Amino acid sequence: MVIRSAPQANRRHCRNLRLAITVAWLFLFTLPASAQLKVDGPDTVATCSGLVQLDATGADGPFDWVFLSPAGVDHRTLEDGAAVIFAAPAKPGAISIQCISWPAETFALHTITVGSGPTPDPDPQPDPQPDPPPDPAPTPMAEDFRVLILWESQDPAIDPVLTDGNFRRDLDAAAALGWRLYDDDYPDLTVELMHDAWQAAYRRAIADHGGDLPWLLITDGTNHDSQPLPETAEAAAKILDKY
């Protein structure tokens, strides 16, 4: 019979613990990449362009979503983890997401490139070169038209209008300068980094909403609609049609 001293026993216990931790990490991050599990969703998005949805297909759930880079992205999962929704970031870069199917013991990686959204020229200058007469310029209403939706990103219940595909298409088609989905409690520094026109729209929505979220603000530079987001996509589309 071999009697080990206490320090020897402790060292053996530590080695076994390190081995167990190593095996657990290898299981999590070296799951076999499946030819069946896929992540369906956009490969590129613009900054502050609204909600992004990714769907897991080709394997059984439940699923887990791990934001590898940047870590800690605020998100919501739907349908037993078969879909994940998060807001497009405010800064350009890349997002790396890992989707894990535990029943199939497989994973799939998805990377989204975040590019700069459209930025209107605050002081357009005439072209010094002589050119043929340009096409008629759009009306000031079309040039200044923009839509801002204020929401609480920490609210576990996502308003169904925000995920309605028809409403998203209406916004993309109607907003000449794009549309924005902003959290209601951005820090002052984030607000100050916005373009002046979006900063003014954000401050107007903050002043108007009175705790009622999501909040819809539409402006064409002269006229404004500032009100709670309607309960249906159809009702929201009617407001857009006024412009």
Side-chain angles (χ1 to χ4, degrees):
M1 176 179 180
V2 178
I3 301 177
R4 295 183 175 88
S5 65
Q8 289 177 326
N10 288 337
R11 286 195 296 270
R12 182 181 181 85
H13 176 74
C14 290
R15 284 197 301 269
N16 291 339
L17 181 60
R18 287 196 296 269
L19 178 60
I21 293 174
T22 301
V23 169
W25 277 99
L26 287 175
F27 173 77
L28 178 60
F29 291 103
T30 61
L31 292 173
S34 170
Q36 297 178 340
L37 178 60
K38 293 175 56 181
V39 176
D40 291 336
D43 296 321
T44 59
V45 297
T47 54
C48 300
S49 57
L51 292 178
V52 180
Q53 178 169 333
L54 301 177
D55 298 285
T57 61
D60 294 330
F63 303 91
D64 274 341
W65 298 84
V66 180
F67 283 76
L68 302 176
S69 176
V73 173
D74 184 60
H75 62 279
R76 300 290 183 272
T77 56
L78 307 174
E79 301 173 5
D80 203 17
V84 63
I85 294 177
F86 57 95
K91 294 181 180 180
I95 305 174
S96 296
I97 307 107
Q98 184 181 58
C99 178
I100 302 172
S101 168
W102 293 111
E105 295 186 353
T106 60
F107 75 91
L109 294 173
H110 190 75
T111 300
I112 300 176
T113 300
V114 183
S116 299
T119 303
D121 186 352
D123 187 20
Q125 300 295 323
D127 191 341
Q129 301 298 324
D131 288 325
D135 294 331
T139 63
M141 178 180 294
E143 289 181 344
D144 294 335
F145 182 70
R146 66 193 72 232
V147 179
L148 185 148
I149 300 174
L150 202 66
W151 77 318
E152 172 51 71
S153 62
Q154 301 300 319
D155 189 348
I158 299 176
D159 192 292
V161 177
L162 296 178
T163 59
D164 187 279
N166 291 329
F167 181 55
R168 297 279 297 276
R169 284 190 289 273
D170 289 341
L171 287 173
D172 291 338
L177 297 178
W179 58 280
R180 300 289 187 267
L181 181 71
Y182 285 155
D183 190 84
D184 70 319
D185 54 4
Y186 279 154
D188 290 341
L189 179 59
T190 300
V191 179
E192 291 170 1
L193 291 175
M194 297 177 185
H195 183 273
D196 289 348
W198 286 113
Q199 184 180 144
Y202 180 81
R203 295 189 186 281
R204 170 71 181 269
I206 288 292
D208 289 351
H209 76 82
D212 194 348
L213 296 172
W215 189 265
L216 175 67
L217 186 142
I218 305 176
T219 177
D220 61 14
T222 303
N223 303 303
H224 305 275
D225 267 289
S226 185
Q227 64 179 68
L229 184 70
E231 295 182 357
T232 66
E234 292 77 9
K238 289 182 180 179
I239 301 176
L240 293 175
D241 289 342
K242 291 168 52 179
Y243 293 82

